[in-house]
Amino acid sequence: MTDTSGEHTPIARRTVLAATGATAAALAVGAAATYEAPTTETADTAPVAAAAVCTLTREMTEGPYYLDGQYVRSNITEGKPGVPLELTLTVVDDDTCAPLSNALVEIWHADHLGEYSGFVGANGHSEPDNGTFLRGGVLTNSSGVASITTIYPGWYVGRCIHIHIKVHTNVRLTPDGSFTGGQELHTGQLYFSETITTRVSRLSPYTANGVTRTTLAQDSIYDGGGAASGLLTLTALGSSTSSGYTGTLTLGVER
């Protein structure tokens, strides 16, 4: 089972992706904080990312691996091994570039073997499946920022490495730590520098994934649009690849 069902048909709603770092802070009307532009390791895509200021982009399909009712939490790893990834995602209104507070940013992605919780075995590997690992979301703060701790995703047949994302507003938090209701504003995907992905794929535990990896250039969904199409700005957390990365992006949604 691969994440290709219906993925050539874009969802009709309109979204934008704004620049990350200092550019995004300058655009965010009323934002409480400013940010220093990071030194990134995406030289092959940095010119595109820097120019992506309130640029319209299409949404992308949620794919076949979405599960309702996941936990609201800042750390979704559940002990899964992999290179650390600290996501900082800023949600803004596409008309004003003002930050959206209390918006639920929800993500889900494959583990190092390319398996999704709730669907383990679809990529040919056998492992325990609790239906919740590498799934969850958080509410944005007053500056529109959602910070989520996870791992660098693995890959599976037919797709490049990616993270699925939804943005919801007006959700109701439930006693069991999940959420319900609200309005879905955005469904999309986040992507990674091919240069950094190549480094990560050479490390354990990713070397246990024997599936041939699809690159960004080969992917049927990613359109080469850089930040405007969900390409994260990645910044090293340390001196080695195994130390992990931060991934930042400012996502504009139509309210």
Side-chain angles (χ1 to χ4, degrees):
M1 183 174 186
T2 61
D3 191 359
T4 57
S5 174
E7 292 194 337
H8 291 284
T9 303
I11 299 173
R13 291 193 302 274
R14 184 168 63 106
T15 63
V16 297
L17 291 171
T20 56
T23 305
L27 290 172
V29 178
T34 58
Y35 302 90
E36 181 180 355
T39 301
T40 71
E41 296 194 39
T42 54
D44 51 333
T45 54
V48 177
V53 179
C54 289
T55 301
L56 294 176
T57 187
R58 67 180 179 89
E59 293 192 343
M60 296 180 185
T61 179
E62 71 176 30
Y65 298 130
Y66 181 67
L67 292 175
D68 289 317
Q70 293 303 310
Y71 293 123
V72 177
R73 54 183 179 173
S74 60
N75 189 320
I76 66 172
T77 57
E78 294 192 15
K80 279 290 180 180
V83 170
L85 178 65
E86 301 288 343
L87 291 172
T88 301
L89 306 170
T90 305
V91 182
V92 300
D93 183 289
D94 74 313
D95 292 322
T96 65
C97 285
L100 270 63
S101 61
N102 291 315
L104 183 77
V105 177
E106 180 186 18
I107 67 169
W108 68 103
H109 65 82
D111 68 4
H112 65 286
L113 293 175
E115 301 287 351
Y116 283 85
S117 57
F119 302 89
V120 167
N123 198 37
H125 302 91
S126 177
E127 59 177 336
D129 187 358
N130 62 5
T132 61
F133 66 75
L134 303 178
R135 296 179 182 272
V138 296
L139 294 171
T140 57
N141 63 17
S142 60
S143 298
V145 176
S147 299
I148 303 175
T149 297
T150 185
I151 60 167
Y152 209 97
W155 60 93
Y156 54 98
V157 177
R159 288 302 316 277
C160 68
I161 284 179
H162 62 283
I163 291 176
H164 292 272
I165 183 170
K166 285 182 181 285
V167 177
H168 314 257
T169 55
N170 301 316
V171 301
R172 181 176 65 85
L173 302 185
T174 58
D176 63 354
S178 183
F179 70 96
T180 188
Q183 178 185 7
E184 183 182 308
L185 296 186
H186 174 72
T187 299
Q189 297 182 26
L190 307 176
Y191 296 98
F192 295 79
S193 160
E194 190 61 33
T195 300
I196 296 176
T197 290
T198 298
R199 297 174 191 165
V200 170
S201 68
R202 293 170 178 165
L203 299 178
S204 176
Y206 301 91
T207 50
N209 188 341
V211 174
T212 300
R213 189 170 62 80
T214 298
T215 66
L216 275 177
Q218 296 168 334
D219 192 68
S220 60
I221 305 304
Y222 179 67
D223 60 9
S229 297
L231 187 68
L232 292 164
T233 295
L234 298 175
T235 306
L237 287 171
S239 58
S240 66
T241 300
S242 60
S243 297
Y245 296 88
T246 60
T248 59
L249 190 69
T250 298
L251 174 67
V253 298
E254 184 174 11
R255 300 177 71 181

